[in-house]
Amino acid sequence: MTTMISATAANDIFQRRESQVRSYCRSFPAIFAGARGPWLIDEDGREYLDFLCVAGAANYGHNDPPIKAAVVEYLATDGPIASLDLHTSAKQAFLRSFENRILAPRGLDHRVQFTGPTGTNAVEAALKLARKVTGRSTILAFTNGYHGMSLGALAATGNALARSGAGIPLGYTSFAAFDGYGGRDDSLADLVRRLDDPSSGLDLPAAAIVETVQGEGGCNAASWDWLRGLAEILRQRGILLIIDDVQAGCGRTGTFFSFEPAGITPDFIVLSKSIGGLGLPMSLLLMRPELDLWQPGEHNGTFRGNNLAFVAAQAALEHYWRDGAFAAGVQARGDIVRARLERIAARYPSLAYTGRGLLAGLRCQDPSRAAAISRAAWGLQLIIERCGPRDEVVKTMPPLNIPISALHDGLDRLERAIAAV
Ligand SMILES: Cc1ncc(COP(=O)(O)O)c(C=O)c1O
């Protein structure tokens, strides 16, 4: 009781002063003062296992020592912190590492655009450039897709609550069924029919924007065949392919880019969240070189030069992506999560595994069950969020380098939470 009263009093300034728009803090109402690896620590020293990881912006865990050391060292040198799009040593080093560790080994010759530091701004850049390059206005998006909260990205987002915040009609977007939507497997055939029928009402889109695993939309994973099929349908019709890898990329599903196993080459790739290494804001739009038709300054932004993020990102690439060992570790952890969640689902028939790698979860037939599980997990000091159209999926997003014992610890807590509800 004493703890509850003091927590309420301590939270008072947030309730009085912070906008109603706040959301995560309502589910996890502690005041966090420390963060190390997979742990968040509140002001009273209580430790919580973090299976939310800043929605994927802390893929290497909190304050990962080699990344933090690089940032601390850089701060001590009085290097530039913010630099618009000026050339800096930190940016040069990042670009070299990104080329050497990520792009060249994968045979990608994409150019790199540093956008404003949010995922949604990089999505906006992709949509704008696709429209400019093709001269067409419509974007093809997919059911349950999530691309951000600014108006262009929001127009390509399915979620009704998010869309209702726009306050104006969200246009120039058509929606098609994502792989498996509604339990059906004919989404690509339907798309082809509508694209090729001059009377279907579907304008030829400039681009299609798609996630390989829909992170907010319910951990829905597209099959490799579906992605290959989609890429081919688009290629044949001159429609550009934008892979939104903001959440599924940077290793989360077991490879640096989530689409790698499909063997496709997107025209545009959007990266954000943990590309900045330590949770520092940074977003990128990668584009095939011939699509780089921007005029200088045509998609500008003050905070495109976050040098601390460049330093952290470079440290992360050099530390974790020099060879395949880190990705293999993510895949092994993903296998553990899958095996354990499937075992739980076998015991509780109203639950089902969904997702890929470390972007996976349990779909609950009853959304209120998912809410109760997340609440019970919080009581066990496990931070675990929900996603999906009705928040019906309990979503596991641990750090990619979480020690195996901590991973099992978190999954044990989740299992106890499920048993409790
Ligand atoms: C797939 C995807 N795209 C875009 C965004 C938007 O990123 P941000 O919240 O940084 O604007 C998100 C955020 O969760 C996302 O998951």
Side-chain angles (χ1 to χ4, degrees):
M1 193 61 188
T2 321
T3 321
M4 273 178 66
I5 290 166
S6 71
T8 307
N11 273 312
D12 189 50
I13 184 72
F14 300 110
Q15 279 160 29
R16 265 191 301 116
R17 283 290 172 190
E18 196 179 354
S19 160
Q20 290 296 344
V21 79
R22 64 196 192 277
S23 63
Y24 293 105
C25 58
R26 297 176 191 270
S27 307
F28 311 115
I31 298 183
F32 297 104
R36 250 186 310 278
W39 300 96
L40 278 175
I41 303 139
D42 74 14
E43 283 186 327
D44 298 323
R46 265 187 300 268
E47 297 187 336
Y48 302 80
L49 251 181
D50 186 3
F51 273 25
L52 170 58
C53 272
V54 201
N59 274 5
Y60 308 103
H62 298 284
N63 286 306
D64 187 54
I67 306 178
K68 188 176 82 172
V71 170
V72 168
E73 192 185 318
Y74 183 79
L75 274 171
T77 66
D78 280 347
I81 300 293
S83 54
L84 301 167
D85 61 17
L86 297 173
H87 294 160
T88 65
S89 310
K91 186 178 189 174
Q92 182 181 52
F94 164 74
L95 276 171
R96 284 184 175 147
S97 285
F98 195 63
E99 182 172 73
N100 292 335
R101 305 289 170 223
I102 303 298
L103 296 178
R106 290 162 181 79
L108 297 173
D109 62 353
H110 288 53
R111 292 241 175 102
V112 180
Q113 178 183 354
F114 297 87
T115 67
T118 58
T120 198
N121 191 262
V123 168
E124 294 293 343
L127 303 181
K128 282 163 69 173
L129 189 53
R131 285 174 167 134
K132 180 181 164 87
V133 167
T134 60
R136 297 178 221 132
S137 13
T138 305
I139 300 294
L140 187 69
F142 291 87
T143 50
N144 284 318
Y146 180 84
H147 302 289
M149 289 283 181
S150 54
L151 293 180
L154 195 52
T157 291
N159 184 278
L161 173 69
R163 293 175 69 85
S164 71
I168 56 165
L170 295 168
Y172 302 105
T173 308
S174 303
F175 280 86
F178 189 72
D179 191 15
Y181 181 68
R184 298 175 63 118
D185 61 5
D186 60 351
S187 52
L188 290 185
D190 184 57
L191 177 61
V192 167
R193 222 172 7 251
R194 290 170 59 213
L195 283 170
D196 294 350
D197 176 353
S199 192
S200 69
L202 180 61
D203 296 329
L204 188 67
I209 183 164
V210 68
E211 301 153 90
T212 64
V213 181
Q214 296 182 315
E216 298 305 301
C219 292
N220 313 310
S223 73
W224 307 128
D225 276 350
W226 190 86
L227 287 167
R228 274 191 289 270
L230 175 67
E232 185 54 21
I233 290 165
L234 301 177
R235 195 193 59 76
Q236 286 169 356
R237 291 159 182 81
I239 304 165
L240 300 171
L241 171 60
I242 305 168
I243 294 285
D244 180 346
D245 239 1
V246 167
Q247 190 157 159
C250 296
R252 174 78 23 210
T253 59
T255 48
F256 186 85
F257 294 113
S258 69
F259 55 82
E260 287 174 41
I264 58 175
T265 303
D267 299 298
F268 297 107
I269 305 160
V270 186
L271 279 184
S272 182
K273 295 206 189 266
S274 74
I275 185 64
L278 210 57
L280 294 168
M282 169 171 168
S283 296
L284 303 178
L285 173 62
L286 314 182
M287 65 198 80
R288 287 197 294 110
E290 59 273 31
L291 302 174
D292 186 14
L293 299 186
W294 288 122
Q295 294 293 321
E298 203 177 356
H299 186 87
N300 241 331
T302 303
F303 288 117
R304 290 172 298 139
N306 182 351
N307 285 262
L308 292 184
F310 299 153
V311 169
Q314 195 223 353
L317 296 179
E318 291 300 326
H319 193 76
Y320 290 112
W321 294 99
R322 292 178 86 93
D323 56 32
F326 181 70
V330 179
Q331 287 155 24
R333 286 164 179 77
D335 289 345
I336 291 172
V337 169
R338 181 170 191 144
R340 291 210 46 185
L341 295 188
E342 283 183 340
R343 210 167 344 128
I344 294 171
R347 212 166 332 127
Y348 302 95
S350 63
L351 307 181
Y353 170 86
T354 181
R356 179 176 290 135
L358 291 176
L359 184 49
L362 281 171
R363 187 180 309 284
C364 307
Q365 266 169 24
D366 174 3
S368 70
R369 168 85 50 100
I373 291 170
S374 173
R375 248 190 330 269
W378 172 245
L380 299 170
Q381 291 169 221
L382 170 68
I383 299 175
I384 191 160
E385 242 307 9
R386 293 162 297 143
C387 64
R390 295 175 183 79
D391 281 342
E392 74 278 28
V393 175
V394 180
K395 178 179 176 188
T396 55
M397 258 188 125
L400 306 187
N401 55 356
I402 185 171
I404 301 293
S405 58
L407 182 61
H408 280 296
D409 181 356
L411 293 166
D412 289 345
R413 293 180 200 211
L414 175 60
E415 209 165 332
R416 277 159 53 208
I418 291 169
V421 302

